[in-house]
Amino acid sequence: SMAGDVGFDPAGFAKSKADLMNFREAEIKHARLAMLAAAGWPLSELFDAKIANLIGMTPIVDASDRAPSLLNGGLGKISPIYWILTLMAAGFIDVYGIGQGRKNDPDYFPGNLGIDPFGIYPKDKEGQKRMQTTEIKNGRLAMVAITAFAVQEAVSSSGVIQETPQFFQFLGGN
């Protein structure tokens, strides 16, 4: 009954509807982060050095134009202030989302923060289901993509934009 649900739970993790909703909430959060990361990772490889040099800072990407990651290293170059602010923002969003989920609103669904600044969320039920399905499918693809980015860079020792320049030429890639 949920958007993007195909009944796939071979290990039987979702023993109740509450479990299923918690898993979907986590999946939506990870999907949204992965969608941002899937766009941000190659963009950082394209523009980090250019922007850093423009404002007189040291680039964060390494000599092979690889973005910092657990597998590539380089996370130590990121300011601790950034990590603190990121964790605070994530905590705020998480607490807000948990509060939204506990309101017992019959129209609530996992990931619904009640925020639509551009007014693009459809008003009709069919459109809403389509939008939710699109989001979860794109998010799942983004989770696979960001994992592939990290593994590819660790294995090949070159950046995503170096391995697939045809996708980034219009943005000024090599």
Side-chain angles (χ1 to χ4, degrees), residues 122-152:
K123 304 295 181 226
D124 62 298
K125 291 289 183 191
E126 184 180 316
Q128 291 173 352
K129 185 81 158 196
R130 187 176 58 252
M131 179 74 85
Q132 292 170 26
T133 301
T134 301
E135 179 183 32
I136 197 67
K137 286 183 175 183
N138 282 305
R140 289 170 180 166
L141 179 61
M143 287 186 273
V144 171
I146 199 67
T147 302
F149 287 176
V151 171
Q152 176 266 311

PDB file of all heavy atoms in Angstrom, residues 122-152:
ATOM      1  N   PRO A 122       1.629  17.384  -5.382  1.00  0.00           N
ATOM      2  CA  PRO A 122       0.266  17.330  -5.925  1.00  0.00           C
ATOM      3  C   PRO A 122      -0.808  17.338  -4.840  1.00  0.00           C
ATOM      4  O   PRO A 122      -0.591  16.870  -3.722  1.00  0.00           O
ATOM      5  CB  PRO A 122       0.237  16.007  -6.688  1.00  0.00           C
ATOM      6  CG  PRO A 122       1.664  15.637  -6.902  1.00  0.00           C
ATOM      7  CD  PRO A 122       2.424  16.234  -5.766  1.00  0.00           C
ATOM      8  N   LYS A 123      -1.962  17.843  -5.187  1.00  0.00           N
ATOM      9  CA  LYS A 123      -3.097  17.903  -4.252  1.00  0.00           C
ATOM     10  C   LYS A 123      -3.935  16.633  -4.302  1.00  0.00           C
ATOM     11  O   LYS A 123      -4.565  16.266  -3.314  1.00  0.00           O
ATOM     12  CB  LYS A 123      -3.987  19.120  -4.557  1.00  0.00           C
ATOM     13  CG  LYS A 123      -3.239  20.456  -4.548  1.00  0.00           C
ATOM     14  CD  LYS A 123      -2.716  20.811  -3.189  1.00  0.00           C
ATOM     15  CE  LYS A 123      -2.008  22.150  -3.210  1.00  0.00           C
ATOM     16  NZ  LYS A 123      -0.752  22.165  -2.525  1.00  0.00           N
ATOM     17  N   ASP A 124      -3.969  15.958  -5.456  1.00  0.00           N
ATOM     18  CA  ASP A 124      -4.801  14.761  -5.590  1.00  0.00           C
ATOM     19  C   ASP A 124      -4.042  13.518  -5.113  1.00  0.00           C
ATOM     20  O   ASP A 124      -2.820  13.457  -5.174  1.00  0.00           O
ATOM     21  CB  ASP A 124      -5.249  14.580  -7.044  1.00  0.00           C
ATOM     22  CG  ASP A 124      -4.079  14.377  -7.998  1.00  0.00           C
ATOM     23  OD1 ASP A 124      -3.240  15.306  -8.110  1.00  0.00           O
ATOM     24  OD2 ASP A 124      -3.985  13.308  -8.615  1.00  0.00           O
ATOM     25  N   LYS A 125      -4.772  12.518  -4.634  1.00  0.00           N
ATOM     26  CA  LYS A 125      -4.166  11.301  -4.058  1.00  0.00           C
ATOM     27  C   LYS A 125      -3.324  10.539  -5.079  1.00  0.00           C
ATOM     28  O   LYS A 125      -2.258  10.040  -4.752  1.00  0.00           O
ATOM     29  CB  LYS A 125      -5.256  10.372  -3.495  1.00  0.00           C
ATOM     30  CG  LYS A 125      -5.931  10.915  -2.263  1.00  0.00           C
ATOM     31  CD  LYS A 125      -5.000  10.880  -1.090  1.00  0.00           C
ATOM     32  CE  LYS A 125      -5.707  11.361   0.165  1.00  0.00           C
ATOM     33  NZ  LYS A 125      -4.778  11.584   1.264  1.00  0.00           N
ATOM     34  N   GLU A 126      -3.808  10.461  -6.311  1.00  0.00           N
ATOM     35  CA  GLU A 126      -3.072   9.737  -7.343  1.00  0.00           C
ATOM     36  C   GLU A 126      -1.733  10.424  -7.636  1.00  0.00           C
ATOM     37  O   GLU A 126      -0.699   9.775  -7.755  1.00  0.00           O
ATOM     38  CB  GLU A 126      -3.899   9.646  -8.623  1.00  0.00           C
ATOM     39  CG  GLU A 126      -3.241   8.826  -9.715  1.00  0.00           C
ATOM     40  CD  GLU A 126      -4.100   8.752 -10.968  1.00  0.00           C
ATOM     41  OE1 GLU A 126      -5.311   8.542 -10.847  1.00  0.00           O
ATOM     42  OE2 GLU A 126      -3.519   8.917 -12.063  1.00  0.00           O
ATOM     43  N   GLY A 127      -1.739  11.730  -7.735  1.00  0.00           N
ATOM     44  CA  GLY A 127      -0.520  12.492  -7.967  1.00  0.00           C
ATOM     45  C   GLY A 127       0.449  12.376  -6.801  1.00  0.00           C
ATOM     46  O   GLY A 127       1.663  12.287  -6.997  1.00  0.00           O
ATOM     47  N   GLN A 128      -0.091  12.364  -5.592  1.00  0.00           N
ATOM     48  CA  GLN A 128       0.756  12.224  -4.406  1.00  0.00           C
ATOM     49  C   GLN A 128       1.449  10.861  -4.391  1.00  0.00           C
ATOM     50  O   GLN A 128       2.642  10.764  -4.106  1.00  0.00           O
ATOM     51  CB  GLN A 128      -0.070  12.407  -3.135  1.00  0.00           C
ATOM     52  CG  GLN A 128      -0.551  13.827  -2.942  1.00  0.00           C
ATOM     53  CD  GLN A 128      -1.504  13.974  -1.763  1.00  0.00           C
ATOM     54  OE1 GLN A 128      -1.942  13.001  -1.164  1.00  0.00           O
ATOM     55  NE2 GLN A 128      -1.833  15.222  -1.438  1.00  0.00           N
ATOM     56  N   LYS A 129       0.707   9.823  -4.702  1.00  0.00           N
ATOM     57  CA  LYS A 129       1.269   8.467  -4.735  1.00  0.00           C
ATOM     58  C   LYS A 129       2.363   8.384  -5.810  1.00  0.00           C
ATOM     59  O   LYS A 129       3.424   7.803  -5.592  1.00  0.00           O
ATOM     60  CB  LYS A 129       0.161   7.456  -5.006  1.00  0.00           C
ATOM     61  CG  LYS A 129       0.593   6.024  -4.957  1.00  0.00           C
ATOM     62  CD  LYS A 129       0.666   5.534  -3.554  1.00  0.00           C
ATOM     63  CE  LYS A 129       0.563   4.026  -3.538  1.00  0.00           C
ATOM     64  NZ  LYS A 129       0.256   3.488  -2.270  1.00  0.00           N
ATOM     65  N   ARG A 130       2.101   9.002  -6.970  1.00  0.00           N
ATOM     66  CA  ARG A 130       3.083   9.012  -8.052  1.00  0.00           C
ATOM     67  C   ARG A 130       4.358   9.761  -7.617  1.00  0.00           C
ATOM     68  O   ARG A 130       5.471   9.298  -7.851  1.00  0.00           O
ATOM     69  CB  ARG A 130       2.476   9.636  -9.304  1.00  0.00           C
ATOM     70  CG  ARG A 130       3.357   9.533 -10.532  1.00  0.00           C
ATOM     71  CD  ARG A 130       2.697  10.070 -11.807  1.00  0.00           C
ATOM     72  NE  ARG A 130       2.298  11.459 -11.673  1.00  0.00           N
ATOM     73  CZ  ARG A 130       1.049  11.906 -11.564  1.00  0.00           C
ATOM     74  NH1 ARG A 130       0.047  11.044 -11.575  1.00  0.00           N
ATOM     75  NH2 ARG A 130       0.782  13.190 -11.438  1.00  0.00           N
ATOM     76  N   MET A 131       4.191  10.895  -6.957  1.00  0.00           N
ATOM     77  CA  MET A 131       5.337  11.688  -6.492  1.00  0.00           C
ATOM     78  C   MET A 131       6.140  10.911  -5.438  1.00  0.00           C
ATOM     79  O   MET A 131       7.370  10.894  -5.473  1.00  0.00           O
ATOM     80  CB  MET A 131       4.871  13.021  -5.910  1.00  0.00           C
ATOM     81  CG  MET A 131       5.985  13.894  -5.386  1.00  0.00           C
ATOM     82  SD  MET A 131       6.962  14.679  -6.647  1.00  0.00           S
ATOM     83  CE  MET A 131       5.992  16.107  -6.987  1.00  0.00           C
ATOM     84  N   GLN A 132       5.449  10.258  -4.511  1.00  0.00           N
ATOM     85  CA  GLN A 132       6.130   9.472  -3.483  1.00  0.00           C
ATOM     86  C   GLN A 132       6.882   8.291  -4.102  1.00  0.00           C
ATOM     87  O   GLN A 132       8.013   7.988  -3.704  1.00  0.00           O
ATOM     88  CB  GLN A 132       5.126   8.959  -2.454  1.00  0.00           C
ATOM     89  CG  GLN A 132       4.520  10.047  -1.598  1.00  0.00           C
ATOM     90  CD  GLN A 132       3.363   9.527  -0.767  1.00  0.00           C
ATOM     91  OE1 GLN A 132       3.301   8.340  -0.444  1.00  0.00           O
ATOM     92  NE2 GLN A 132       2.440  10.405  -0.417  1.00  0.00           N
ATOM     93  N   THR A 133       6.268   7.633  -5.091  1.00  0.00           N
ATOM     94  CA  THR A 133       6.918   6.508  -5.771  1.00  0.00           C
ATOM     95  C   THR A 133       8.149   6.989  -6.528  1.00  0.00           C
ATOM     96  O   THR A 133       9.204   6.348  -6.486  1.00  0.00           O
ATOM     97  CB  THR A 133       5.930   5.816  -6.734  1.00  0.00           C
ATOM     98  OG1 THR A 133       4.803   5.355  -5.981  1.00  0.00           O
ATOM     99  CG2 THR A 133       6.576   4.637  -7.442  1.00  0.00           C
ATOM    100  N   THR A 134       8.030   8.125  -7.191  1.00  0.00           N
ATOM    101  CA  THR A 134       9.164   8.691  -7.909  1.00  0.00           C
ATOM    102  C   THR A 134      10.303   9.003  -6.954  1.00  0.00           C
ATOM    103  O   THR A 134      11.469   8.694  -7.230  1.00  0.00           O
ATOM    104  CB  THR A 134       8.737   9.971  -8.663  1.00  0.00           C
ATOM    105  OG1 THR A 134       7.696   9.627  -9.584  1.00  0.00           O
ATOM    106  CG2 THR A 134       9.886  10.599  -9.403  1.00  0.00           C
ATOM    107  N   GLU A 135       9.976   9.600  -5.810  1.00  0.00           N
ATOM    108  CA  GLU A 135      11.007   9.946  -4.842  1.00  0.00           C
ATOM    109  C   GLU A 135      11.722   8.706  -4.322  1.00  0.00           C
ATOM    110  O   GLU A 135      12.961   8.676  -4.253  1.00  0.00           O
ATOM    111  CB  GLU A 135      10.421  10.733  -3.671  1.00  0.00           C
ATOM    112  CG  GLU A 135      11.473  11.093  -2.641  1.00  0.00           C
ATOM    113  CD  GLU A 135      10.927  11.810  -1.417  1.00  0.00           C
ATOM    114  OE1 GLU A 135       9.774  11.559  -1.015  1.00  0.00           O
ATOM    115  OE2 GLU A 135      11.685  12.619  -0.858  1.00  0.00           O
ATOM    116  N   ILE A 136      10.973   7.679  -3.955  1.00  0.00           N
ATOM    117  CA  ILE A 136      11.612   6.502  -3.366  1.00  0.00           C
ATOM    118  C   ILE A 136      12.448   5.750  -4.396  1.00  0.00           C
ATOM    119  O   ILE A 136      13.545   5.272  -4.110  1.00  0.00           O
ATOM    120  CB  ILE A 136      10.599   5.578  -2.644  1.00  0.00           C
ATOM    121  CG1 ILE A 136      11.311   4.609  -1.697  1.00  0.00           C
ATOM    122  CG2 ILE A 136       9.727   4.806  -3.602  1.00  0.00           C
ATOM    123  CD1 ILE A 136      11.970   5.256  -0.534  1.00  0.00           C
ATOM    124  N   LYS A 137      11.961   5.688  -5.637  1.00  0.00           N
ATOM    125  CA  LYS A 137      12.731   4.999  -6.680  1.00  0.00           C
ATOM    126  C   LYS A 137      14.000   5.772  -7.024  1.00  0.00           C
ATOM    127  O   LYS A 137      15.072   5.179  -7.176  1.00  0.00           O
ATOM    128  CB  LYS A 137      11.879   4.786  -7.925  1.00  0.00           C
ATOM    129  CG  LYS A 137      10.845   3.689  -7.739  1.00  0.00           C
ATOM    130  CD  LYS A 137      10.063   3.432  -9.011  1.00  0.00           C
ATOM    131  CE  LYS A 137       9.127   2.256  -8.837  1.00  0.00           C
ATOM    132  NZ  LYS A 137       8.421   1.945 -10.092  1.00  0.00           N
ATOM    133  N   ASN A 138      13.907   7.077  -7.162  1.00  0.00           N
ATOM    134  CA  ASN A 138      15.103   7.882  -7.421  1.00  0.00           C
ATOM    135  C   ASN A 138      16.066   7.817  -6.246  1.00  0.00           C
ATOM    136  O   ASN A 138      17.283   7.799  -6.425  1.00  0.00           O
ATOM    137  CB  ASN A 138      14.728   9.332  -7.726  1.00  0.00           C
ATOM    138  CG  ASN A 138      14.227   9.501  -9.133  1.00  0.00           C
ATOM    139  OD1 ASN A 138      14.896   9.134 -10.084  1.00  0.00           O
ATOM    140  ND2 ASN A 138      13.033  10.047  -9.278  1.00  0.00           N
ATOM    141  N   GLY A 139      15.522   7.789  -5.031  1.00  0.00           N
ATOM    142  CA  GLY A 139      16.365   7.687  -3.847  1.00  0.00           C
ATOM    143  C   GLY A 139      17.095   6.363  -3.770  1.00  0.00           C
ATOM    144  O   GLY A 139      18.273   6.313  -3.406  1.00  0.00           O
ATOM    145  N   ARG A 140      16.419   5.287  -4.125  1.00  0.00           N
ATOM    146  CA  ARG A 140      17.073   3.975  -4.126  1.00  0.00           C
ATOM    147  C   ARG A 140      18.195   3.947  -5.157  1.00  0.00           C
ATOM    148  O   ARG A 140      19.284   3.429  -4.900  1.00  0.00           O
ATOM    149  CB  ARG A 140      16.052   2.881  -4.410  1.00  0.00           C
ATOM    150  CG  ARG A 140      15.091   2.642  -3.259  1.00  0.00           C
ATOM    151  CD  ARG A 140      13.951   1.729  -3.640  1.00  0.00           C
ATOM    152  NE  ARG A 140      13.054   1.512  -2.508  1.00  0.00           N
ATOM    153  CZ  ARG A 140      11.843   0.983  -2.614  1.00  0.00           C
ATOM    154  NH1 ARG A 140      11.378   0.623  -3.803  1.00  0.00           N
ATOM    155  NH2 ARG A 140      11.098   0.826  -1.543  1.00  0.00           N
ATOM    156  N   LEU A 141      17.934   4.502  -6.324  1.00  0.00           N
ATOM    157  CA  LEU A 141      18.960   4.572  -7.354  1.00  0.00           C
ATOM    158  C   LEU A 141      20.141   5.421  -6.880  1.00  0.00           C
ATOM    159  O   LEU A 141      21.304   5.073  -7.099  1.00  0.00           O
ATOM    160  CB  LEU A 141      18.380   5.140  -8.648  1.00  0.00           C
ATOM    161  CG  LEU A 141      19.343   5.286  -9.815  1.00  0.00           C
ATOM    162  CD1 LEU A 141      19.910   3.933 -10.222  1.00  0.00           C
ATOM    163  CD2 LEU A 141      18.635   5.952 -10.990  1.00  0.00           C
ATOM    164  N   ALA A 142      19.856   6.523  -6.209  1.00  0.00           N
ATOM    165  CA  ALA A 142      20.920   7.400  -5.706  1.00  0.00           C
ATOM    166  C   ALA A 142      21.755   6.689  -4.640  1.00  0.00           C
ATOM    167  O   ALA A 142      22.976   6.892  -4.579  1.00  0.00           O
ATOM    168  CB  ALA A 142      20.329   8.694  -5.147  1.00  0.00           C
ATOM    169  N   MET A 143      21.125   5.860  -3.806  1.00  0.00           N
ATOM    170  CA  MET A 143      21.895   5.119  -2.801  1.00  0.00           C
ATOM    171  C   MET A 143      22.865   4.151  -3.472  1.00  0.00           C
ATOM    172  O   MET A 143      24.017   4.013  -3.039  1.00  0.00           O
ATOM    173  CB  MET A 143      20.959   4.381  -1.841  1.00  0.00           C
ATOM    174  CG  MET A 143      20.255   5.308  -0.862  1.00  0.00           C
ATOM    175  SD  MET A 143      19.289   4.445   0.393  1.00  0.00           S
ATOM    176  CE  MET A 143      17.719   4.239  -0.423  1.00  0.00           C
ATOM    177  N   VAL A 144      22.426   3.510  -4.550  1.00  0.00           N
ATOM    178  CA  VAL A 144      23.314   2.630  -5.304  1.00  0.00           C
ATOM    179  C   VAL A 144      24.416   3.454  -5.960  1.00  0.00           C
ATOM    180  O   VAL A 144      25.593   3.089  -5.923  1.00  0.00           O
ATOM    181  CB  VAL A 144      22.511   1.827  -6.363  1.00  0.00           C
ATOM    182  CG1 VAL A 144      23.446   1.081  -7.307  1.00  0.00           C
ATOM    183  CG2 VAL A 144      21.552   0.866  -5.690  1.00  0.00           C
ATOM    184  N   ALA A 145      24.046   4.601  -6.536  1.00  0.00           N
ATOM    185  CA  ALA A 145      25.016   5.439  -7.244  1.00  0.00           C
ATOM    186  C   ALA A 145      26.103   5.953  -6.312  1.00  0.00           C
ATOM    187  O   ALA A 145      27.295   5.894  -6.653  1.00  0.00           O
ATOM    188  CB  ALA A 145      24.301   6.621  -7.912  1.00  0.00           C
ATOM    189  N   ILE A 146      25.741   6.446  -5.159  1.00  0.00           N
ATOM    190  CA  ILE A 146      26.743   7.025  -4.267  1.00  0.00           C
ATOM    191  C   ILE A 146      27.677   5.933  -3.726  1.00  0.00           C
ATOM    192  O   ILE A 146      28.873   6.159  -3.548  1.00  0.00           O
ATOM    193  CB  ILE A 146      26.084   7.865  -3.140  1.00  0.00           C
ATOM    194  CG1 ILE A 146      27.107   8.818  -2.530  1.00  0.00           C
ATOM    195  CG2 ILE A 146      25.443   7.026  -2.089  1.00  0.00           C
ATOM    196  CD1 ILE A 146      27.568   9.901  -3.454  1.00  0.00           C
ATOM    197  N   THR A 147      27.142   4.751  -3.518  1.00  0.00           N
ATOM    198  CA  THR A 147      27.986   3.620  -3.120  1.00  0.00           C
ATOM    199  C   THR A 147      28.949   3.278  -4.254  1.00  0.00           C
ATOM    200  O   THR A 147      30.144   3.057  -4.022  1.00  0.00           O
ATOM    201  CB  THR A 147      27.129   2.397  -2.754  1.00  0.00           C
ATOM    202  OG1 THR A 147      26.232   2.763  -1.694  1.00  0.00           O
ATOM    203  CG2 THR A 147      27.973   1.217  -2.319  1.00  0.00           C
ATOM    204  N   ALA A 148      28.441   3.277  -5.479  1.00  0.00           N
ATOM    205  CA  ALA A 148      29.289   2.993  -6.643  1.00  0.00           C
ATOM    206  C   ALA A 148      30.363   4.064  -6.810  1.00  0.00           C
ATOM    207  O   ALA A 148      31.504   3.742  -7.150  1.00  0.00           O
ATOM    208  CB  ALA A 148      28.429   2.890  -7.899  1.00  0.00           C
ATOM    209  N   PHE A 149      30.019   5.332  -6.569  1.00  0.00           N
ATOM    210  CA  PHE A 149      31.019   6.408  -6.653  1.00  0.00           C
ATOM    211  C   PHE A 149      32.177   6.118  -5.700  1.00  0.00           C
ATOM    212  O   PHE A 149      33.340   6.213  -6.072  1.00  0.00           O
ATOM    213  CB  PHE A 149      30.417   7.764  -6.262  1.00  0.00           C
ATOM    214  CG  PHE A 149      29.483   8.386  -7.262  1.00  0.00           C
ATOM    215  CD1 PHE A 149      28.847   9.567  -6.949  1.00  0.00           C
ATOM    216  CD2 PHE A 149      29.225   7.818  -8.499  1.00  0.00           C
ATOM    217  CE1 PHE A 149      27.979  10.182  -7.840  1.00  0.00           C
ATOM    218  CE2 PHE A 149      28.362   8.413  -9.408  1.00  0.00           C
ATOM    219  CZ  PHE A 149      27.739   9.601  -9.077  1.00  0.00           C
ATOM    220  N   ALA A 150      31.839   5.810  -4.454  1.00  0.00           N
ATOM    221  CA  ALA A 150      32.871   5.594  -3.437  1.00  0.00           C
ATOM    222  C   ALA A 150      33.752   4.398  -3.789  1.00  0.00           C
ATOM    223  O   ALA A 150      34.982   4.480  -3.706  1.00  0.00           O
ATOM    224  CB  ALA A 150      32.233   5.400  -2.068  1.00  0.00           C
ATOM    225  N   VAL A 151      33.140   3.286  -4.184  1.00  0.00           N
ATOM    226  CA  VAL A 151      33.903   2.088  -4.516  1.00  0.00           C
ATOM    227  C   VAL A 151      34.747   2.325  -5.766  1.00  0.00           C
ATOM    228  O   VAL A 151      35.925   1.976  -5.806  1.00  0.00           O
ATOM    229  CB  VAL A 151      32.962   0.872  -4.692  1.00  0.00           C
ATOM    230  CG1 VAL A 151      33.716  -0.325  -5.254  1.00  0.00           C
ATOM    231  CG2 VAL A 151      32.310   0.510  -3.366  1.00  0.00           C
ATOM    232  N   GLN A 152      34.146   2.944  -6.789  1.00  0.00           N
ATOM    233  CA  GLN A 152      34.869   3.200  -8.034  1.00  0.00           C
ATOM    234  C   GLN A 152      36.100   4.059  -7.794  1.00  0.00           C
ATOM    235  O   GLN A 152      37.171   3.772  -8.313  1.00  0.00           O
ATOM    236  CB  GLN A 152      33.931   3.856  -9.045  1.00  0.00           C
ATOM    237  CG  GLN A 152      34.580   4.266 -10.348  1.00  0.00           C
ATOM    238  CD  GLN A 152      35.045   5.701 -10.341  1.00  0.00           C
ATOM    239  OE1 GLN A 152      34.304   6.588  -9.976  1.00  0.00           O
ATOM    240  NE2 GLN A 152      36.282   5.920 -10.726  1.00  0.00           N
TER     241      GLN A 152
END
